[in-house]
Amino acid sequence: MALYAVIPAGGSGTRLWPASRSARPKFLLPLPGPLSMLQATVERLLPLVPPANMLIVTGAPHAGAVAAQVPEVPKENIIVEPQARGTGPAIGLAAALFARRDPDAIMGSFAADHHVADPIAFRQAIRAAAEAAREGYLVTVGIQPTYPETGYGYIRCGEILFHREGLAVHAVEEFKEKPDLATAERYVASGQYQWNASMFVWRAQTLLDAMRRLLPDVYELLTEIAAAWDRPDRAETMERLWAQLPEVTIDHGIMEHADNVAVVPASFGWTDLGDWHSLAELLASDAGDNVAVGAEHIATDTRGTLVFGDGRVIATLGVEDLVIVDTDDVLLVCHRSRAQDVRRIVERLRGQGDQRLL
């Protein structure tokens, strides 16, 4: 089946600073490599979605790099949003454009900065979700938890509605925010919860109908923008109306409130690669559980350490469980257990008005 897809390509990946910056966010980086995360996203979708059916929504500073990295996607399919407004407007505009082109379009939304280890199992899950979407459901692909992660939201699965492509399709009982460790352990032990990867499939018109009910102001503005898409005043209309849109995610604005939501639990080695620790977990390590990317690592009496460099040799002695990131203007050293807190450095720099390192 030929599907449609929107790839929201935004954010700066603050927990992967200093490699990820506003000018070169993580979806443009070769993590874990050799392709960039955006290139890998497009590659795993190609067997399901022709390039002409893909839209990439990104900011003006990144549009040129996006076009250069994925030349197979037509340049006119790269939508430049004037300001970041969250996934709600980005995905909603793509739905409006797809529905104009094909009233029966089945579309998926796939973030540009997620890692998938098993593309074949990924595509099986998307085909199952597409079949459920044909029956009128707003479908999310849930990731079967492998440990009690506190950095992800969770989806509580309800009754099995039917099976498609060899996978069960469940009703969604509830979306849960990121839990504390004890709650996450309880979720995983129950077997009733999936990680929320914000990976969605639906009929474009089904999403627009939900948006009309739940986010009417957003719906009206996006409908007006889409109506101007082939007119000479498209750029002016986009600039003027986009500024009026609220910042809202598709999760909070639609999925948590709609009543026709289904989930396809699946397992295909997914991670959002949110910090340096999660990157280290993906990569092959040496006998001391050390990982080196982009640098020669001379490790003596060193264990559990990730080094990420730009060509210089990095030598360590008598340390363990560190993250060392070497760029041309910043050297980051932190404990792997504090990898999620790297964003605090970025917040401090922003608070000081210091853009040199951002």
Side-chain angles (χ1 to χ4, degrees):
M1 73 180 76
L3 302 176
Y4 295 79
V6 57
I7 302 174
S12 57
T14 56
R15 289 172 294 172
L16 286 166
W17 181 90
S20 180
R21 313 273 184 109
S22 60
R24 194 165 181 250
K26 70 173 182 174
F27 64 82
L28 295 175
L29 298 176
L31 300 173
L35 299 177
S36 76
M37 302 195 80
L38 171 64
Q39 290 170 325
T41 301
V42 170
E43 182 177 79
R44 65 176 166 266
L45 285 172
L46 282 175
L48 296 175
V49 184
N53 288 7
M54 293 184 189
L55 292 176
I56 301 174
V57 184
T58 193
H62 309 132
V66 167
Q69 284 202 1
V70 287
E72 60 268 50
V73 177
K75 285 188 177 180
E76 61 269 22
N77 287 18
I78 299 173
I79 298 176
V80 179
E81 52 180 356
Q83 305 93 21
R85 286 293 183 261
T87 56
I91 295 171
L93 177 59
L97 296 175
F98 288 146
R100 278 165 51 87
R101 175 175 164 182
D102 178 359
D104 296 320
I106 302 292
M107 63 174 285
S109 173
F110 310 97
D113 57 0
H114 290 176
H115 173 72
V116 168
D118 187 345
I120 294 175
F122 163 81
R123 289 189 285 270
Q124 178 190 14
I126 300 309
R127 287 193 298 268
E131 291 298 327
R134 291 184 193 283
E135 303 192 27
Y137 290 95
L138 298 167
V139 187
T140 182
V141 178
I143 307 301
Q144 294 177 350
T146 54
Y147 62 96
E149 171 63 57
T150 59
Y152 301 153
Y154 285 73
I155 302 166
R156 181 179 172 89
C157 297
E159 64 175 327
I160 295 178
L161 300 171
F162 39 75
H163 289 80
R164 294 291 183 272
E165 295 284 330
L167 296 173
V169 180
H170 294 252
V172 169
E173 289 192 352
E174 193 176 9
F175 284 84
K176 294 287 191 178
E177 297 292 340
K178 297 174 183 178
D180 58 29
L181 180 58
T183 304
E185 289 173 343
R186 189 170 71 252
Y187 286 170
V188 174
S190 75
Q192 296 179 302
Y193 291 85
Q194 303 290 303
W195 285 336
N196 178 14
S198 295
M199 191 179 300
F200 308 112
V201 181
W202 40 49
R203 194 184 299 272
Q205 190 58 54
T206 302
L207 174 63
L208 293 173
D209 291 343
M211 192 166 278
R212 186 192 298 117
R213 294 192 309 273
L214 298 170
L215 296 173
D217 294 344
V218 174
Y219 172 82
E220 293 298 334
L221 289 167
L222 294 180
T223 298
E224 192 172 343
I225 292 171
W229 208 250
D230 298 322
R231 301 197 314 245
D233 65 337
R234 167 174 138 185
E236 184 275 329
T237 301
M238 178 83 163
E239 187 77 30
R240 174 171 50 85
L241 297 183
W242 199 264
Q244 301 176 36
L245 287 163
E247 187 167 341
V248 60
T249 67
I250 209 78
D251 303 67
H252 295 313
I254 301 293
M255 299 300 281
E256 293 179 8
H257 306 288
D259 56 9
N260 57 332
V261 181
V263 58
V264 177
S267 180
F268 40 77
W270 172 89
T271 175
D272 73 349
L273 208 59
D275 59 38
W276 293 111
H277 175 73
S278 61
L279 174 63
E281 292 286 293
L282 282 179
L283 300 173
S285 58
D286 65 15
D289 291 328
N290 301 305
V291 177
V293 181
E296 179 184 350
H297 183 201
I298 301 174
T300 304
D301 293 335
T302 298
R303 294 193 57 82
T305 291
L306 165 71
V307 298
F308 185 96
D310 196 20
R312 284 204 300 180
V313 175
I314 297 175
T316 57
L317 170 65
V319 299
E320 62 181 45
D321 297 331
L322 292 184
V323 169
I324 301 171
V325 182
D326 184 28
T327 70
D328 59 357
D329 58 350
V330 177
L331 174 64
L332 168 71
V333 180
C334 75
H335 197 273
R336 278 180 63 168
S337 66
R338 301 294 300 277
Q340 292 253 350
D341 293 332
V342 169
R343 67 171 67 181
R344 292 174 55 184
I345 301 174
V346 176
E347 291 165 358
R348 176 175 176 174
L349 292 169
R350 285 176 178 163
Q352 295 171 343
D354 186 350
Q355 296 297 316
R356 295 173 305 123
L357 304 178
L358 298 178

